[in-house]
Amino acid sequence: MAELGTQQAQSAQQSRDATDAAQKLKGEKDLLSRELDQSKAEAARLQQALQQSKTNEATLKKQLAEALAQQQKARAQADEAQAQSQVRIDELSTKCESHVKQNAQNEHAWAAEK
């Protein structure tokens, strides 16, 4: 009979130990589950940040291309304006030289008349 009591006590202790181990494992499982959820949330946040970075990069590349095109257009316009100015300068220079020659001839003619 004593042996039966000992076996029952051992059985009860083993049952308590198994229950404690099961509760400990359940606690560890719950902790790991929360950590997994946190990791998934962080991964989703990082994925969203990566997508936003890619969008920003594409926007910046587009803006850069537009700015370079505008710069190239402005340079072409400046070159054209410079060329037109040079043509006008050449025309005015030729006209000025013509007037200087005409004035010199007029001065000679007036001097001869005096």
Side-chain angles (χ1 to χ4, degrees):
M1 199 62 160
E3 191 174 307
L4 183 59
T6 303
Q7 285 180 349
Q8 286 178 342
Q10 286 177 344
S11 207
Q13 183 61 42
Q14 287 175 348
S15 178
R16 284 191 299 273
D17 290 346
T19 300
D20 289 346
Q23 287 177 344
K24 184 178 177 184
L25 287 173
K26 184 182 182 311
E28 290 176 6
K29 178 187 173 242
D30 291 344
L31 176 64
L32 289 173
S33 180
R34 284 191 303 274
E35 289 177 357
L36 178 61
D37 289 345
Q38 289 173 351
S39 293
K40 285 179 180 179
E42 180 68 8
R45 188 189 67 73
L46 290 173
Q47 183 64 34
Q48 185 177 9
L50 175 62
Q51 187 59 44
Q52 185 63 48
S53 293
K54 287 179 179 180
T55 300
N56 291 346
E57 180 184 19
T59 299
L60 290 174
K61 283 182 178 179
K62 180 181 176 187
Q63 289 172 345
L64 177 61
E66 289 170 356
L68 290 174
Q70 288 175 350
Q71 181 184 35
Q72 189 175 25
K73 183 178 177 182
R75 279 187 183 160
Q77 289 173 342
D79 289 346
E80 177 63 23
Q82 184 177 5
Q84 288 176 1
S85 293
Q86 189 61 50
V87 166
R88 184 68 178 140
I89 288 169
D90 292 345
E91 288 172 355
L92 291 174
S93 179
T94 301
K95 205 180 242 189
C96 184
E97 288 174 9
S98 173
H99 286 165
V100 167
K101 287 179 185 176
Q102 184 64 44
N103 283 343
Q105 289 172 356
N106 289 341
E107 286 178 5
H108 286 7
W110 290 336
E113 289 178 9
K114 288 186 177 185

